[in-house]
Amino acid sequence: YIQLVEDSQASNAEVLVFSSLHVSGEQLNQLTGVAAILNFPLIIDSDIEESDDESDSKAPLTPSSG
């Protein structure tokens, strides 16, 4: 974690360390131990696959004959 903190601080990121003696630190450790707030969207491969599946399942719009 030390290298991660140093690299983050070198790129002008704000780094907060939560104590494992505090409830918030305990909860974070139960997940992964690391959290981040991103200022840009993070695209994950599974997101791309889901959006492809959704676009394939949509029927083309046709004018109604009414």
Side-chain angles (χ1 to χ4, degrees):
Y1 292 123
I2 294 171
Q3 187 65 44
L4 177 62
V5 169
E6 289 174 352
D7 291 346
S8 299
Q9 289 173 335
S11 65
N12 295 323
E14 181 181 2
V15 177
L16 303 173
V17 178
F18 293 88
S19 171
S20 60
L21 300 176
H22 190 269
V23 174
S24 59
E26 289 177 6
Q27 291 174 344
L28 185 58
N29 281 334
Q30 290 175 355
L31 298 172
T32 62
V34 177
I37 298 175
L38 304 176
N39 292 326
F40 53 89
L42 178 64
I43 300 174
I44 302 173
D45 291 338
S46 62
D47 292 343
I48 294 170
E49 293 171 6
E50 288 175 11
S51 65
D52 288 345
D53 292 342
E54 290 173 4
S55 62
D56 291 343
S57 64
K58 291 181 181 175
L61 297 176
T62 57
S64 61
S65 59

